[in-house]
Amino acid sequence: MAQDQRENEVGNGWDHEQEENDPNQKNKMRGVGGEEEALSVERIFENQEVPSWRQQLTVRAFVVSFVLSILFSFIVMKLNLTTGIIPSLNVSAGLLGFFFVKTWTKFLSKSGLLKKPFTRQENTVIQTCVVASSGIAFSGGFGSYLFGMSGRIANESSDTSDFKDPSLSWIIGFLFVVSFLGLFSVVPLRKIMIIDFKLTYPSGTATAHLINSFHTPEGAKLAKKQVRTLGKFFSFSFLWGFFQWFYTAEEDCGFKSFPSLGLKAYKNKFYFDFSATYVGVGMICPYIVNISVLLGGILSWGLMWPLIDNRKGDWFPSKLSPTSMHGLQGYKVFIAIAMILGDGLYNFFKVISRTVSGLYSQLKQKDIGVILPVADRSSPASTTPETSFDDQRRTQLFLKDQIPTWFAVAGYVAIAAISIGTLPHIFPQLKWYYIVVIYLFAPTLAFCNAYGCGLTDWSLASTYGKLAIFTIGAWAGASHGGVLAGLAACGVMMNIVSTASDLSQDFKTGYLTLASPRSMFVSQVIGTAMGCVVSPCVFWLFYKAFHDLGTPDSEYPAPFAVVYRNMAILGVEGFSSLPKNCLLLCYVFFGAAILINLIKDCVGKQRGRFIPIPMAMAIPFYIGPYFAIDMCIGSLILFVWEKKNKAKADAFVPAVASGLICGDGIWTLPASILALAGVQPPICMKFLSRATNARVDNFLNPS
């Protein structure tokens, strides 16, 4: 999921903010089938008939996609509502899709009922559909802008004047009218992206290598072993979550409250919380991301917040509520926002400059004048005598099934018209002319994001969304619901540019696996439609089951919902709402984020990989560094494994990590059902200091 899952927000996170663009992970995926790719891949499959685009879209593929969509929506939702760090789940989606359909076809083959063999094109359809569906759990804003509209987050932000509580009906309606525009905006330019400019789309390329390898004899054997490993760790993670539940009868009970580094450290959020999910995330994320998160936690909770708290009574009133944005909480949120904006804007301008530079050089080399070679125009230079057999075969099939440009333009205009008429009824603060302006700029921004993603593998969807928060929020103003207008505009913009880059990645994957562009487009549309229903239902389950959802000390603090809402408040009200000296500190950290990125780029990749990422450093500023310790333990496991047997680690770490993430993520489903049914855990396991324990003993057993 490249996912802006996706943005991963490393919390945005790190899509570059990336949610999903782990260079180590790409190498691991590439390693599964990299040797075959070094040779002629299409020679291996030369004797296999390529099914038509309709034959690639099978009922079994969409049944499996639907089941996996529910699974991954729970996982992404949990990650969204805890820290906002979402790693790439492409490997687990590919593995599980391959496993389910292979099991299905094997059973039918033994019973003599198998009519169609399982092809890599069908595998690609499943991958595309699952990633599109679970991607809505991120781009839908359930952990950011959409939940940031709610009364719960408004209370946390000390701003109850402008909010809209979640409801299944309007959330599903909103997602349906904004989630499809991005798909139509890049369809006409798919040929120039994939064939003429030969953009790499690293995540899409790595996914294609993975799928191609599954369907070779050696790759199928390895995939079987990987699935078995994933299943073992899935079971362990699920049962571990179930076991922990018994000890969490009250808040601050259970293994997650174990003060592993001491009570003083626990008070400042430094502890190992026994989360299988974030140990798995740490195994997938690059080392520098995990170290950056830990450094950010040490800087904030280890140094800054204790020092600022000592200024209580001087910098801010001493009797304020701990959650008041005019006290210590304000410093935590707004300094984090400053770092996120500094990092995001730096990378925005960097990617835009690379995009413009790359586009200019490509157009100059192609000498195509002012007319871009859109999908309906074939280019005689698309294949040359020097083109390899693989490229010739892939180009021929990629251009075979055209998606008419008139269809894409008509689809964009029709959905935009419906959206302009519908959105003001959902959000009266978001006037129709705001939406018209967004839709006029959206195709250009969607192209820039898709092109930049092809060059760098960075989707900047959340950065475009933040720009929409500030521009539309300031345009609307506080007296006309600027906070809600800005957050809703963020949702519109994020969905357009995110789905545009996702579809471009899918076109690249389809190109390399000989899957038709039509089947990719249809699969993306169906997956997006699934996500527009599945993700709101999953969020609704969390919302109803966990009544402290969105509060800072809860199991699901939804940190980016608070961050996005306060961005909107900042855009509408300006700096007047900030506590004393907070603006100065924001300037310092905004500049520091830009400077760190600048140094990182200047020293080159080899040395730059040791410089921390400001975006990742900002995440623990609000919620604490406890999850960073989990992630660093995951990194340590990976490091030791690679030292002992790098080949085995490269092959099986993604499966182990995915099993840990999936098992713990799926445990949230029965946990939510138990909470809704009013079933409480039977035991509270708490950890007290010696003095507190003595007082409790004296109270319970007075002499």
Side-chain angles (χ1 to χ4, degrees):
M1 302 183 207
Q3 64 261 293
D4 220 33
Q5 229 114 92
R6 334 209 41 270
E7 255 167 62
N8 327 283
E9 276 233 17
V10 159
N12 268 333
W14 106 98
D15 97 293
H16 147 38
E17 292 188 282
Q18 275 138 85
E19 315 178 220
E20 262 40 282
N21 302 328
D22 172 354
N24 291 345
Q25 184 64 18
K26 290 168 210 160
N27 292 334
K28 290 168 196 166
M29 288 189 282
R30 207 172 275 128
V32 176
E35 292 182 7
E36 287 90 347
E37 283 296 314
L39 305 172
S40 174
V41 174
E42 299 310 327
R43 293 286 186 192
I44 299 172
F45 299 104
E46 190 175 7
N47 295 325
Q48 295 182 12
E49 182 184 356
V50 178
S52 69
W53 71 272
R54 286 188 176 87
Q55 292 173 326
Q56 295 170 24
L57 303 168
T58 62
V59 173
R60 69 188 178 198
F62 291 116
V63 170
V64 169
S65 297
F66 181 71
V67 173
L68 292 179
S69 294
I70 296 173
L71 167 67
F72 286 108
S73 292
F74 268 98
I75 294 166
V76 174
M77 196 67 68
K78 178 176 181 177
L79 295 170
N80 251 333
L81 296 172
T82 48
T83 64
I85 298 178
I86 306 169
S88 172
L89 297 173
N90 280 9
V91 172
S92 46
L95 275 173
L96 290 172
F98 178 80
F99 168 72
F100 280 127
V101 180
K102 265 294 184 184
T103 304
W104 186 333
T105 55
K106 191 174 181 180
F107 173 77
L108 292 179
S109 179
K110 287 182 177 179
S111 59
L113 299 174
L114 182 63
K115 295 181 180 179
K116 294 180 181 178
F118 181 41
T119 64
R120 56 190 175 131
Q121 290 79 25
E122 188 178 359
N123 206 157
T124 307
V125 165
I126 294 171
Q127 176 93 8
T128 298
C129 191
V130 172
V131 170
S133 179
S134 58
I136 298 294
F138 167 75
S139 62
F142 300 102
S144 54
Y145 65 85
L146 191 142
F147 190 34
M149 301 177 186
S150 68
R152 288 189 195 179
I153 301 301
N155 287 330
E156 292 300 322
S157 302
S158 306
D159 168 46
T160 57
S161 60
D162 198 12
F163 65 89
K164 185 178 181 68
D165 281 323
S167 165
L168 264 183
S169 56
W170 74 255
I171 292 175
I172 292 174
F174 169 73
L175 291 177
F176 265 106
V177 296
V178 302
S179 297
F180 295 91
L181 273 163
L183 304 181
F184 289 93
S185 62
V186 295
V187 164
L189 294 173
R190 71 184 185 281
K191 177 181 176 291
I192 191 174
M193 299 279 210
I194 306 301
I195 296 176
D196 290 298
F197 290 174
K198 299 186 187 301
L199 297 178
T200 55
Y201 289 103
S203 289
T205 299
T207 302
H209 293 339
L210 180 74
I211 291 172
N212 283 334
S213 73
F214 284 165
H215 294 267
T216 61
E218 286 302 315
K221 289 179 185 177
L222 178 59
K224 189 176 180 180
K225 293 177 183 177
Q226 289 173 320
V227 169
R228 192 180 299 121
T229 301
L230 190 152
K232 288 178 184 176
F233 283 89
F234 177 95
S235 302
F236 165 76
S237 181
F238 182 88
L239 292 173
W240 175 240
F242 179 44
F243 176 74
Q244 288 188 85
W245 175 81
F246 282 96
Y247 300 91
T248 55
E250 297 292 340
E251 195 173 332
D252 295 328
C253 294
F255 287 89
K256 66 180 183 348
S257 300
F258 178 61
S260 50
L261 300 177
L263 288 168
K264 184 69 175 176
Y266 175 80
K267 185 180 177 183
N268 285 299
K269 306 285 188 180
F270 287 94
Y271 58 93
F272 174 55
D273 72 345
F274 295 89
S275 168
T277 293
Y278 283 101
V279 172
V281 169
M283 294 175 73
I284 292 178
C285 289
Y287 293 122
I288 190 60
V289 170
N290 301 332
I291 296 300
S292 298
V293 173
L294 184 60
L295 285 175
I298 294 170
L299 176 63
S300 55
W301 289 83
L303 294 173
M304 289 173 54
W305 305 158
L307 290 173
I308 293 175
D309 193 48
N310 289 337
R311 308 300 298 175
K312 189 187 299 180
D314 179 12
W315 286 14
F316 56 93
S318 57
K319 294 183 180 180
L320 283 176
S321 162
T323 61
S324 172
M325 284 296 160
H326 299 290
L328 182 59
Q329 191 82 334
Y331 293 93
K332 294 177 183 178
V333 171
F334 288 109
I335 293 174
I337 288 173
M339 284 200 77
I340 290 169
L341 288 177
D343 185 90
L345 287 176
Y346 177 89
N347 285 290
F348 170 76
F349 286 112
K350 183 173 81 171
V351 172
I352 287 295
S353 64
R354 287 186 183 179
T355 299
V356 172
S357 174
L359 187 59
Y360 174 76
S361 61
Q362 290 278 15
L363 291 173
K364 191 174 181 181
Q365 289 171 15
K366 293 290 181 181
D367 192 27
I368 56 175
V370 296
I371 303 176
L372 295 179
V374 297
D376 288 345
R377 295 192 198 100
S378 60
S379 169
S382 295
T383 57
T384 66
E386 296 79 18
T387 304
S388 68
F389 174 79
D390 284 6
D391 286 343
Q392 288 181 23
R393 184 162 169 77
R394 288 164 176 169
T395 301
Q396 176 189 2
L397 290 169
F398 188 79
L399 296 176
K400 178 183 174 185
D401 294 324
Q402 299 291 337
I403 302 174
T405 300
W406 66 262
F407 173 78
V409 173
Y412 186 90
V413 172
I415 295 174
I418 294 169
S419 182
I420 291 167
T422 305
L423 285 176
H425 292 285
I426 301 175
F427 303 106
Q429 300 88 346
L430 189 65
K431 305 300 182 185
W432 66 268
Y433 43 88
Y434 300 160
I435 306 168
V436 170
V437 170
I438 291 173
Y439 287 165
L440 288 175
F441 286 99
T444 303
L445 299 179
F447 168 75
C448 290
N449 194 46
Y451 188 92
C453 191
L455 290 174
T456 65
D457 213 25
W458 290 354
S459 172
L460 297 179
S462 64
T463 303
Y464 289 105
K466 289 167 195 150
L467 293 176
I469 287 178
F470 287 113
T471 53
I472 301 299
W475 187 1
S479 60
H480 295 91
V483 172
L484 272 186
L487 291 170
C490 171
V492 175
M493 184 63 76
M494 269 186 67
N495 275 281
I496 292 172
V497 297
S498 177
T499 53
S501 63
D502 287 350
L503 182 59
S504 298
Q505 292 272 15
D506 292 335
F507 279 145
K508 183 68 174 185
T509 304
Y511 171 77
L512 294 171
T513 58
L514 303 190
S516 167
R518 288 188 183 181
S519 66
M520 292 293 91
F521 181 78
V522 172
S523 179
Q524 183 89 16
V525 168
I526 292 174
T528 301
M530 284 182 188
C532 290
V533 176
V534 171
S535 291
C537 291
V538 171
F539 171 74
W540 195 247
L541 187 61
F542 276 83
Y543 187 71
K544 288 297 183 182
F546 304 105
H547 298 293
D548 58 352
L549 185 75
T551 56
D553 296 321
S554 72
E555 186 178 358
Y556 300 102
F560 282 95
V562 177
V563 166
Y564 272 63
R565 183 172 186 89
N566 280 281
M567 282 184 187
I569 294 170
L570 199 62
V572 171
E573 298 180 2
F575 300 123
S576 59
S577 59
L578 299 181
K580 185 179 179 181
N581 292 322
C582 185
L583 181 59
L584 175 61
L585 289 171
C586 287
Y587 283 144
V588 169
F589 279 87
F590 180 87
I594 294 175
L595 182 62
I596 291 170
N597 274 300
L598 195 60
I599 294 171
K600 194 178 182 74
D601 285 339
C602 288
V603 299
K605 286 185 178 180
Q606 194 62 30
R607 285 181 291 178
R609 62 196 175 98
F610 296 109
I611 297 175
I613 301 169
M615 177 71 67
M617 291 179 67
I619 296 169
F621 276 38
Y622 175 64
I623 57 175
Y626 59 91
F627 66 94
I629 294 172
D630 302 349
M631 292 172 67
C632 285
I633 288 174
S635 278
L636 179 62
I637 293 170
L638 173 61
F639 179 78
V640 172
W641 196 348
E642 286 184 332
K643 286 295 180 184
K644 291 185 70 175
N645 190 333
K646 191 173 190 310
K648 194 170 183 180
D650 287 346
F652 289 99
V653 160
V656 172
S658 298
L660 292 173
I661 295 169
C662 294
D664 196 33
I666 282 301
W667 163 246
T668 58
L669 175 57
S672 302
I673 294 171
L674 289 170
L676 287 171
V679 178
Q680 295 296 320
I683 304 169
C684 174
M685 183 172 69
K686 271 199 171 183
F687 301 89
L688 308 174
S689 67
R690 183 188 302 128
T692 304
N693 185 63
R695 287 198 297 269
V696 171
D697 284 345
N698 290 333
F699 176 78
L700 295 176
N701 302 297
S703 52

